[in-house]
Amino acid sequence: MSKTTTSDATQAAPDDQDLGAAGSQLTTAPREDPPNLPSLGLIGWARWFWRQLTSMRVALLLLLLLSLGAIPGSLIPQSGVDETKVADFRENHPTLGDVYDKLGLFHVYSSVWFSAIYILLFVSLIGCIVPRTWQFVGQLRGRPPGAPKRLNRLPAHTTWRTEAAPEEVREAALALLRKRRFRAHLAGDAVAAEKGYLRELGNLVFHIALIVMLVAFAWGQLFKSEGNKLVVEGDGFSNTLTQYDDFKSGNLFTTDDLVPFSFDLKNFTGTYERTGPNRGTPRLYQADVDYSAGAYGAEKKTTIKVNEPLEIGDAKVYLVSHGYAPVVTVRDGKGKVVYHDAVPLLPLDANVTSSGVVKVLDGYRNPQGKKEQLGFNAFFVPTFGGSASGTMLSQFPALDYPVLALSAYHGDLGADSGIPQSVYQMDKTNMKEFKDSKGQLLKKLLRPGESMKLPDGAGSVTFEKDIKEWAGFQVVQEPGGGWALAGAIAAIGGLAASLFIQRRRVWVRAVRGADGVTVVEMAGLGRSESAKVPEELGDLAGILYERAPGAPGPDDSFDEPDPASEPGDDTPTPEPQVVPAEGAEKQ
C-alpha cells in the first residue's frame, strides 16, 4: 500500500549531505558560529562585537531597555514639561532630588544613557537589516534548489506508481504548483517549488518600520512645538511666540518654524446632560472660529471640536478647555469708567466653579485724587445653589443661576516691580482691604446687572449681564507624526506576515522504474515550527494523483513493501495519504 510518512525535522539534520541545497536555511537570519577566542585578535573582537550588536536578541534587549527607560520619564516630573513640578519635587525631596538629578531622571529623553540606548538600537537595527535585505534579494533573484537525492529523508513525503509518462507528471506538477502560487521550475528529473517569501519580507518590513518610527520620534522631539492659549469670545489669536500663554519646543526648533495663521473665536457652545447618573457631563463642546492661513490668506469658517482639531499645514489646533469670563465694569468716585473687560476665570471643578482676579492697573484715582491700583478677588459659579446651601460651589456647569463673589483691595499691585505675575493671582503685599460698615473686608455676591459700591466714595464695580465664555486651545507642531503612524501600521503588518506566513519547499520527482512504470515521489520541507507542511503536501498529492492515477500492479511502497500485496494482484495503487509521524506532530 502506498503511504506518506513524516519524520521529525531534527532527524534530517545529520543528513545534510543528502539534502544538499534543499536543506539550506529558509530564513535570512545570519548563521552564528562560535568564535575561536584564542585566535580573535583586535579585528576579530571588533567583528565579534559587531555581530553581537547586530543580532536580533540584542536588538530586542535594547528595545526592552528603551521601554523600561521611558518609565521614569512618565512617573517623574520632567524639566522640559513642567519646571515648577520639578522644583517642587526637589524642595520636598532634597536627597532623592539630588540622586535623580545625577542620574538625569528629570530630563530622561535628553539624558546621555537614554540617548545611548536609542542610538545603539538604531545602529543595531540597521546593521541587522542591511545584510539580510541583500540576502533576501539574492533569494528572490535565484530559483528554488533542486530536489535532494533521497526525498524519503525529508520531514514529509509520499510516493506512488503511475502509467503516465514522467514528462506528463512533471508538467502537471509544475502547472499545479504555479497555480498554488509556488515559485516552481523544472530541475532535472524533478520539479522544485518554494512558497512563503512574504514571511521574510514581513520580517524585514517590521524592522525597517521600527527604524522609520525611531527616526520619526527623534525628528518630532527635536523639531516639535507645543503652546497653549486662552481666547475669550470675540478675541483672536495669531501664531507668534508672544501670543502664547505658555510655550515649549524641541532643541532644534526656531520661531521661523511656526506655521503662519490666525483665528478669531466667534462663539463657544457647550451643552450638558440634565438628568440621570451622567448629569453635568458635556454632550457638546465646540468652538466656532474664523481663520486664515498665511499672512494674506482668505478668511474661512470652521468648527473645532474635542478630538477634531483645526489642521493648518503641520500645525494642529486642539480644543482642550473651557470656562467663563464675566464682564466687569469699574468706575471711580466720579463715575468715570476706568476698567471694562471680560475677565477669564479658571475652573476649579467639573461644574465650572471658577476663581480669578480683576486688576485695575491704570486710570484710577482715589477720592483724594491720588493714583492707586485696585484689585478684586473673584469667585464665580454658573449655577448658584442659593444661600441655604451654605456653600459657594456651582451645582451645574451651565449658566442657570450665575453669581459673582467679589472682595475689594486698593494700593500697589506690584505690576511695575519687574517681577512676572500671574493674571489669575493677586500680590497683596502692598494692598489694603476696603472695609465695610462693620470693619470687615468688603465683599459681596452679585447677580448679573448688580453693583458693589466702594466705601467713602471710592467708586463702584458692576457685574454686567453679558457673560462671555472662553476656550483653551493647544497648538501642536510635530513634523514626524505622519511617518510615525505609517511606521506603526507597517510594523503591525510586517509582524503579522512574519508570524502567520510559513516558508516551505516542495519537490516532485517522476522517473521511469525498472519495470517501465513511472514512480512519482513528492516531499515537503518547512520551518521547524510549521505543522501544515504534511497537510499541504497531502492536498497537492491528492490533486496530482487525480491527473496521474496509480498503476495496476504490486502495491509497492517507496519505503517498504506491503506484505498484504501479492505478485499477481491487479488492484490499482491506492491514492496517497498523509500519515503524520510523532516527530511531525511536535513541529
Side-chain angles (χ1 to χ4, degrees):
M1 178 179 179
S2 175
K3 311 187 273 190
T4 298
T5 60
T6 59
S7 59
D8 195 341
T10 58
Q11 297 176 1
D15 300 292
D16 285 340
Q17 297 86 353
D18 295 332
L19 301 184
S24 61
Q25 58 183 152
L26 301 183
T27 175
T28 58
R31 295 182 182 272
E32 295 185 11
D33 299 323
N36 187 6
L37 297 180
S39 60
L40 281 180
L42 180 61
I43 298 178
W45 276 109
R47 185 177 301 168
W48 177 84
F49 176 78
W50 175 253
R51 287 180 178 178
Q52 297 301 312
L53 179 61
T54 57
S55 66
M56 192 56 57
R57 57 177 173 268
V58 172
L60 293 175
L61 178 61
L62 290 171
L63 190 60
L64 176 62
L65 290 177
L66 193 70
S67 302
L68 294 176
I71 294 177
S74 302
L75 301 179
I76 300 174
Q78 299 295 293
S79 57
V81 177
D82 196 333
E83 190 67 47
T84 303
K85 289 185 177 180
V86 174
D88 292 341
F89 187 92
R90 286 173 172 165
E91 183 178 353
N92 297 329
H93 309 86
T95 303
L96 192 59
D98 292 339
V99 174
Y100 284 0
D101 206 8
K102 292 179 180 179
L103 295 177
L105 297 182
F106 289 126
H107 49 91
V108 168
Y109 304 111
S110 59
S111 62
V112 175
W113 57 269
F114 190 86
S115 301
I117 297 174
Y118 198 93
I119 294 174
L120 283 175
L121 177 60
F122 190 80
V123 174
S124 176
L125 289 174
I126 293 179
C128 179
I129 288 173
V130 171
R132 295 182 67 159
T133 301
W134 287 118
Q135 187 176 352
F136 181 65
V137 171
Q139 291 181 359
L140 291 179
R141 297 178 62 183
R143 287 186 169 188
K149 294 181 179 179
R150 302 179 63 183
L151 289 178
N152 63 332
R153 306 304 293 265
L154 295 181
H157 61 275
T158 185
T159 181
W160 72 93
R161 293 154 48 88
T162 181
E163 292 182 341
E167 295 80 6
E168 296 177 359
V169 176
R170 289 194 289 265
E171 290 297 330
L174 183 63
L176 172 61
L177 291 170
R178 287 178 174 174
K179 184 178 181 181
R180 292 296 184 93
R181 296 190 299 277
F182 279 84
R183 293 180 63 207
H185 70 105
L186 287 172
D189 59 358
V191 176
E194 189 168 4
K195 190 177 183 180
Y197 289 90
L198 288 180
R199 177 187 179 90
E200 186 60 26
L201 179 61
N203 192 18
L204 294 174
V205 168
F206 172 74
H207 291 91
I208 293 174
L210 287 182
I211 294 179
V212 172
M213 292 171 63
L214 289 174
V215 173
F217 289 144
W219 186 268
Q221 289 296 318
L222 291 173
F223 290 93
K224 75 172 184 178
S225 68
E226 182 180 302
N228 295 284
K229 178 63 178 178
L230 185 152
V231 183
V232 179
E233 288 177 329
D235 292 344
F237 168 78
S238 179
N239 193 26
T240 58
L241 195 60
T242 57
Q243 288 275 302
Y244 284 99
D245 296 331
D246 60 82
F247 185 85
K248 55 180 178 288
S249 62
N251 295 333
L252 300 182
F253 180 86
T254 64
T255 55
D256 294 336
D257 296 325
L258 287 172
V259 177
F261 70 89
S262 61
F263 68 85
D264 294 328
L265 176 60
K266 296 302 181 181
N267 182 56
F268 180 89
T269 304
T271 60
Y272 311 88
E273 291 286 350
R274 288 285 178 178
T275 58
N278 295 324
R279 184 178 184 272
T281 303
R283 296 182 58 189
L284 177 65
Y285 257 32
Q286 64 181 39
D288 298 324
V289 300
D290 293 347
Y291 75 96
S292 60
Y296 305 101
E299 190 171 81
K300 303 177 182 178
K301 297 181 181 294
T302 190
T303 299
I304 305 175
K305 300 180 181 179
V306 177
N307 297 326
E308 296 182 17
L310 168 63
E311 298 187 24
I312 305 174
D314 290 335
K316 294 183 179 180
V317 183
Y318 292 91
L319 176 63
V320 295
S321 58
H322 157 258
Y324 293 101
V327 178
V328 176
T329 301
V330 180
R331 295 176 174 84
D332 60 14
K334 298 180 180 180
K336 177 184 175 182
V337 175
V338 295
Y339 181 89
H340 177 80
D341 203 357
V343 183
L345 305 179
L346 298 181
L348 302 177
D349 57 27
N351 288 326
V352 204
T353 302
S354 308
S355 67
V357 175
V358 181
K359 296 181 180 181
V360 181
L361 301 177
D362 299 309
Y364 175 78
R365 292 180 180 270
N366 61 19
Q368 289 75 36
K370 295 182 179 180
K371 290 184 177 181
E372 267 191 330
Q373 294 177 339
L374 301 179
F376 303 89
N377 276 333
F379 204 81
F380 176 79
V381 290
T383 302
F384 184 49
S387 56
S389 65
T391 179
M392 186 63 178
L393 293 176
S394 178
Q395 306 301 305
F396 195 73
L399 290 171
D400 294 343
Y401 188 5
V403 171
L404 178 66
L406 294 176
S407 55
Y409 298 83
H410 64 100
D412 183 8
L413 290 169
D416 300 327
S417 63
I419 301 176
Q421 290 186 351
S422 171
V423 296
Y424 305 105
Q425 296 178 345
M426 179 169 55
D427 182 6
K428 300 178 185 177
T429 304
N430 298 316
M431 298 294 287
K432 298 180 180 179
E433 298 177 348
F434 278 108
K435 303 292 185 178
D436 59 13
S437 58
K438 298 180 181 180
Q440 302 295 324
L441 172 64
L442 179 65
K443 52 186 177 181
K444 188 176 181 180
L445 300 181
L446 302 177
R447 292 275 291 134
E450 295 180 347
S451 299
M452 178 179 70
K453 289 187 177 182
L454 303 179
D456 303 325
S460 65
V461 54
T462 302
F463 176 26
E464 303 291 348
K465 294 183 179 181
D466 182 19
I467 301 176
K468 294 186 178 181
E469 300 185 50
W470 59 261
F473 298 95
Q474 185 178 70
V475 182
V476 178
Q477 285 185 225
E478 199 166 6
W483 284 100
L485 177 60
I489 295 175
I492 294 174
L495 182 61
S498 65
L499 290 177
F500 298 111
I501 297 177
Q502 298 296 332
R503 185 89 174 265
R504 63 270 196 200
R505 292 168 180 164
V506 173
W507 294 271
V508 181
R509 174 177 286 142
V511 295
R512 195 173 298 278
D515 57 355
V517 179
T518 301
V519 178
V520 181
E521 294 179 87
M522 293 186 67
L525 178 66
R527 296 292 300 270
S528 59
E529 68 270 17
S530 172
K532 295 184 178 181
V533 173
E535 290 85 346
E536 186 174 30
L537 185 67
D539 180 46
L540 293 171
I543 297 175
L544 186 60
Y545 185 84
E546 294 178 356
R547 302 179 184 180
D555 187 8
D556 295 330
S557 173
F558 187 80
D559 297 315
E560 58 183 8
D562 188 348
S565 176
E566 299 197 6
D569 192 358
D570 292 334
T571 305
T573 305
E575 181 178 348
Q577 298 178 353
V578 175
V579 183
E582 181 181 356
E585 292 293 337
K586 294 180 181 179
Q587 292 181 2

